[in-house]
């Protein structure tokens, strides 16, 4: 079978959940036995989202090969269990950079370099890159932004050309919004009609429409949209708000979205999707009655997407522990000695979030001290782990003013310090220690028990690191460095074995947690939070 290219565009408004629809489609195709990958093309000019702050762009996701990527790639992995790479996320910035580099190398010698054909050809080349590996039956390409944006025009032009060249090997799925007007008590189809018209003006006829809605859209209304938009009546499906994003694949399948897509792409005799494991997850998710309460301490907790992968990894871990996750946001800037007890007393477990810079850092130390002294299951991730080390240095080792040189370059006790390899780096984009590295775990440690293995590989995104000069002092006082990189001996995991569960990881285990393959350390953390919860109840 030829590789099939599915294009997913969005209209009317942003934030419709193109990533979830793309992921759901991929999930269903994968369950039918196809080899699937999803890629995201983002129309902004940054080379990658690595330099964007969470207010602008939510979480920065990291691929195994060390690419700082759009958070939708996290959804892709969580829904498909297929690893993404640098090739799965392209921005306008990267397209232009490639074209300009080629121009400087003389590849267009004598020609005027233009958006069409040079930029669009570069976009097309990148769209087909993963397909050309021969590793995939389906390549789903999500085009970021909304139809009508100036910046997405070259991408849509590339889709138009490819659609024409690929014929039945391509399919266009367009997502729109059907608003409900409370005053008129009516759902409105006009924005969808306009959005499709806009797409048609650009020469793209969608094959399938997915209508985002808060209310059920009656069949006759879907047929009306089909008629106005030149789409087959059954190819207009609705995506109503779901209690969980993980229900979306099932809802799409019930409306035959995957079947219609196969029909458009002329794929016959496909197997029915095997969603047994997925459905088991959903059953556990819906039948869980008791709660587990986890506090997340960070400076971006008011942003829905800033800790996306942590939220999802925790949710998956709670589900596999048959608990409903009650995630409590705790703003690190607001934690004081006066209120820490009140803020944290109800928590069964506490996560100290990753991050950069000193804002909110003292609150993290206060929360950590409270958690350590009250022996609450505590999980520090990246900066959270570094804070664990600093708090321990200050309050157990008595190293007053101990810090990371990120926060205090002149600290007397640089228990967290810039990595050697980072010292000569001045450029900001893509220059951290990024991607998956091996970590050896000490036999008998809690971390090794959690993973059920003494060798793991997890993804990183940092410049600073535990200072090995202090290792002996920490270990003698009870904080053990139980995980390290086998080549560089960089400390990857610390834990206090005498506590219920007190572990910090320099890496980000949340990136690798998926619905069908949840991350073991999150599962173990939540398990210990549940045990602690039950102990508190008994006492
Ligand atoms: N700011 C810290 C560092 O660069 C931690 C980074 C993170 O939490 N991702 O090492």
């Amino acid at each position: 079978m030829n590789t099939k290219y599915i294009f997913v565009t969005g209209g009317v408004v942003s934030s419709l959940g193109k990533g979830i629809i793309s992921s759901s489609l991929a999930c269903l195709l994968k369950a039918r036995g196809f080899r699937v990958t999803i890629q995201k093309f983002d129309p902004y000019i940054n080379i990658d989202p690595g330099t964007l702050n969470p207010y602008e762009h939510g979480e920065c996701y990291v691929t195994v090969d060390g690419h700082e990527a759009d958070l939708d790639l996290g959804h892709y992995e969580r829904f498909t269990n297929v690893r993404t790479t640098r090739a799965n996320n392209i921005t306008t910035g990267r397209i232009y950079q490639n074209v300009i580099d080629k121009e400087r190398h003389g590849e267009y010698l004598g020609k005027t370099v233009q958006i069409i054909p040079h930029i669009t050809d570069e976009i097309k080349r990148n769209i087909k890159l993963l397909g050309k590996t021969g590793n995939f039956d389906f390549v789903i390409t999500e085009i970021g932004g909304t139809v009508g944006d100036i910046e997405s025009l070259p991408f849509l032009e590339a889709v138009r050309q490819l659609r024409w060249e690929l014929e039945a090997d391509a399919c266009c799925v367009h997502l729109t919004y059907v608003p409900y007007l409370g005053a008129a008590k009516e759902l409105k189809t006009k924005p969808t009609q306009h959005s499709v018209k806009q797409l048609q003006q650009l020469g793209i006829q969608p094959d399938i429409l997915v209508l985002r809605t808060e209310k059920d859209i009656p069949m006759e209304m879907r047929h009306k949209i089909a008629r106005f938009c030149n789409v087959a009546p059954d190819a207009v499906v609705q995506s109503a708000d779901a209690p969980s994003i993980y229900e979306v694949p099932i809802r799409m399948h019930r409306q035959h979205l995957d079947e219609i897509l196969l029909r458009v792409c002329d794929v016959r005799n496909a197997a029915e999707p095997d969603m047994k494991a997925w459905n088991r997850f959903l059953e556990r998710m819906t039948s869980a009655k008791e709660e587990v309460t986890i506090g997340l301490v960070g400076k971006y907790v008011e942003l829905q997407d800033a800790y996306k992968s942590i939220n999802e990894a925790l949710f998956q871990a709670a589900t596999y522990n048959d608990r409903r996750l009650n995630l409590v946001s705790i703003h690190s800037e607001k934690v004081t000695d006066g209120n820490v007890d009140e803020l944290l007393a109800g928590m069964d477990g506490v996560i100290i979030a990753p991050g950069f810079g000193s804002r909110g850092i003292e609150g993290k130390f206060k929360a950590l001290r409270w958690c350590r002294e009250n022996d609450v299951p505590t999980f520090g991730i990246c900066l959270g782990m570094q804070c664990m080390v600093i708090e321990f240095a200050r309050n157990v080792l008595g190293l007053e003013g101990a810090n990371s040189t990120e926060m205090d370059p002149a600290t007397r006790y640089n228990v967290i310090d810039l990595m050697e390899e980072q010292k000569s780096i001045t450029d900001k984009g893509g220059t951290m220690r990024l991607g998956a590295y091996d970590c050896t775990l000490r036999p008998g440690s809690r971390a090794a028990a959690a993973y059920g293995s003494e060798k793991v590989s997890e993804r990183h995104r940092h410049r600073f690191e535990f200072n090995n000069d202090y290792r002996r002092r920490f270990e003698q006082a009870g904080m053990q460095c139980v995980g390290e990189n086998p080549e560089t001996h960089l400390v990857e995991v610390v834990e206090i074995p005498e506590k219920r569960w007190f572990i910090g990881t320099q890496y980000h285990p949340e990136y690798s947690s998926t619905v069908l393959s949840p991350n073991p350390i999150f599962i173990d953390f939540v398990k210990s939070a549940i045990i602690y919860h039950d102990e508190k109840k008994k006492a």
Side-chain angles (χ1 to χ4, degrees):
M1 169 178 135
N2 292 344
T3 301
K4 306 288 181 181
Y5 291 87
I6 317 297
F7 300 101
V8 179
T9 53
V12 185
V13 289
S14 58
S15 305
L16 287 177
K18 286 193 297 263
I20 302 295
I21 292 296
S22 303
S23 301
S24 298
L25 258 176
C27 175
L28 291 166
L29 292 170
K30 176 117 192 290
R32 286 175 179 267
F34 293 109
R35 301 165 306 156
V36 190
T37 189
I38 322 178
Q39 54 191 8
K40 174 120 193 234
F41 281 53
D42 273 313
Y44 54 75
I45 296 172
N46 303 61
I47 298 291
D48 59 47
T51 52
L52 292 172
N53 79 38
Y55 291 103
E56 295 275 322
H57 205 258
E59 165 187 279
C60 175
Y61 188 74
V62 179
T63 60
V64 275
D65 64 340
H67 179 64
E68 296 180 290
D70 185 83
L71 62 82
D72 271 329
L73 272 72
H75 289 310
Y76 304 165
E77 293 202 12
R78 288 188 282 274
F79 276 69
T80 62
N81 233 355
V82 175
R83 294 292 174 239
T84 54
T85 63
R86 179 174 303 276
N88 293 75
N89 191 195
I90 312 277
T91 64
T92 291
R94 252 172 89 193
I95 296 290
Y96 270 79
Q97 193 178 48
N98 291 348
V99 168
I100 292 168
D101 283 349
K102 284 182 193 171
E103 190 274 333
R104 291 290 85 179
H105 286 124
E107 283 184 39
Y108 310 113
L109 220 50
K111 292 270 179 248
T112 308
V113 181
Q114 296 181 296
I115 292 182
I116 302 169
H118 302 102
I119 294 295
T120 45
D121 278 354
E122 182 61 20
I123 294 171
K124 283 160 71 183
R125 188 183 72 79
N126 277 279
I127 287 175
K128 291 203 273 192
L129 223 49
L130 285 168
K132 286 219 167 114
T133 60
N135 295 336
F136 301 106
D137 303 313
F138 286 90
V139 175
I140 300 177
T141 305
E142 181 190 341
I143 307 291
T146 308
V147 169
D149 294 347
I150 290 176
E151 36 183 33
S152 55
L153 283 174
F155 292 99
L156 294 172
E157 170 59 14
V159 171
R160 183 194 68 78
Q161 292 181 20
L162 278 175
R163 183 69 227 271
W164 181 250
E165 287 164 27
L166 292 164
E167 297 178 6
D169 292 336
C171 170
C172 292
V173 180
H174 187 56
L175 231 81
T176 71
Y177 182 51
V178 177
Y180 178 77
L181 292 191
K185 295 201 175 56
E186 267 185 89
L187 285 159
K188 290 294 179 190
T189 65
K190 196 75 84 193
T192 294
Q193 296 177 41
H194 280 299
S195 173
V196 172
K197 285 247 153 64
Q198 218 166 0
L199 206 52
Q200 288 167 337
Q201 271 173 9
L202 298 170
I204 299 173
Q205 171 60 52
D207 301 290
I208 296 173
L209 294 177
V210 178
L211 313 174
R212 284 285 287 121
T213 173
E214 279 139 65
K215 295 231 184 255
D216 217 37
I217 304 174
M219 263 317 167
E220 69 212 68
M221 189 173 270
R222 295 188 215 177
H223 288 164
K224 174 179 151 191
I225 292 173
R227 211 174 315 121
F228 271 110
C229 300
N230 298 347
V231 175
D234 66 345
V236 180
V237 303
Q238 72 168 10
S239 170
D241 287 352
S244 161
I245 52 171
Y246 300 122
E247 281 178 20
V248 178
I250 304 296
R251 289 176 171 218
M252 291 302 115
H253 180 58
R254 268 194 222 123
Q255 298 178 76
H256 312 288
L257 180 62
D258 45 333
E259 210 178 295
I260 296 161
L261 185 111
L262 292 172
R263 182 183 77 207
V264 173
C265 294
D266 202 20
V267 179
R268 291 172 212 186
N269 308 320
E272 275 301 303
D274 175 2
M275 296 294 282
K276 279 197 286 298
W278 192 275
N279 279 322
R280 265 200 304 278
F281 174 84
L282 292 184
E283 273 158 33
R284 289 178 86 160
M285 180 182 94
T286 42
S287 60
K289 296 277 169 309
E290 273 187 73
E291 276 186 352
V292 59
T293 302
I294 306 290
L296 175 64
V297 183
K299 65 174 164 178
Y300 296 119
V301 285
E302 75 278 19
L303 302 177
Q304 186 167 307
D305 285 342
Y307 304 112
K308 194 87 205 161
S309 294
I310 293 180
N311 297 351
E312 296 307 317
L314 269 176
F315 180 80
Q316 291 152 7
T319 301
Y320 279 99
N321 277 294
D322 298 304
R323 284 294 188 284
R324 268 180 33 215
L325 176 67
N326 174 27
L327 187 62
V328 179
S329 299
I330 298 164
H331 202 299
S332 52
E333 277 185 296
K334 302 205 172 119
V335 184
T336 63
D337 287 326
N339 67 12
V340 63
D341 198 63
E342 185 192 331
L343 286 175
L344 297 182
M347 302 301 129
D348 303 326
V350 173
I351 293 207
I352 310 293
F356 297 83
S358 45
R359 183 165 68 88
I361 200 92
E362 293 300 325
K364 286 185 174 173
F365 298 144
K366 289 189 169 72
L368 274 167
R369 177 174 201 161
W370 191 92
C371 289
R372 185 175 53 74
E373 291 178 348
N374 290 282
D375 199 4
V376 178
T378 309
F379 190 3
I381 300 177
C382 204
L383 179 64
M385 169 269 196
Q386 298 175 355
C387 289
M388 275 181 163
V389 169
I390 296 165
E391 189 280 323
F392 193 87
R394 290 182 183 180
N395 300 323
V396 179
L397 300 182
L399 305 178
E400 205 181 310
N403 216 330
S404 162
T405 46
E406 178 181 6
M407 316 305 160
D408 178 7
T411 173
R412 274 180 70 195
Y413 305 110
N414 55 342
V415 290
I416 302 292
D417 203 0
L418 193 62
M419 277 180 280
E420 208 44 52
E421 69 205 49
Q422 286 287 328
K423 290 187 177 155
S424 55
I425 293 174
T426 50
D427 275 359
K428 287 283 175 274
T431 56
M432 285 187 244
R433 179 170 180 247
L434 290 166
Y437 285 91
D438 287 341
C439 167
T440 328
L441 295 168
R442 186 185 293 175
S445 64
R446 179 82 199 217
Y451 279 102
S453 167
E454 280 151 26
K455 196 167 180 281
V456 296
S457 171
E458 297 277 15
R459 302 176 214 182
H460 298 68
R461 183 173 187 246
H462 65 126
R463 294 186 203 282
F464 294 82
E465 172 64 43
F466 182 89
N467 182 346
N468 267 323
D469 294 347
Y470 287 91
R471 193 161 176 161
R472 270 248 302 286
R473 283 157 90 176
F474 275 86
E475 299 214 324
Q476 275 164 0
M479 182 176 269
Q480 303 298 321
C481 303
V482 297
E484 66 167 35
N485 180 276
E487 280 116 51
T488 56
H489 303 293
L490 291 179
V491 172
E492 302 282 23
V493 186
V494 297
E495 68 181 45
I496 305 181
E498 70 190 30
K499 298 289 174 195
R500 282 197 171 82
W501 205 102
F502 203 89
I503 300 182
T505 60
Q506 182 57 77
Y507 53 74
H508 293 259
E510 69 273 22
Y511 292 142
S512 64
S513 193
T514 71
V515 168
L516 298 184
S517 175
N519 189 291
I521 200 152
F522 274 94
I523 301 245
D524 197 57
F525 167 65
V526 171
K527 191 179 283 166
S528 93
I530 293 166
I531 294 171
Y532 177 55
H533 173 93
D534 293 345
E535 278 172 24
K536 278 193 296 185
K537 224 160 83 181
K538 265 196 221 123

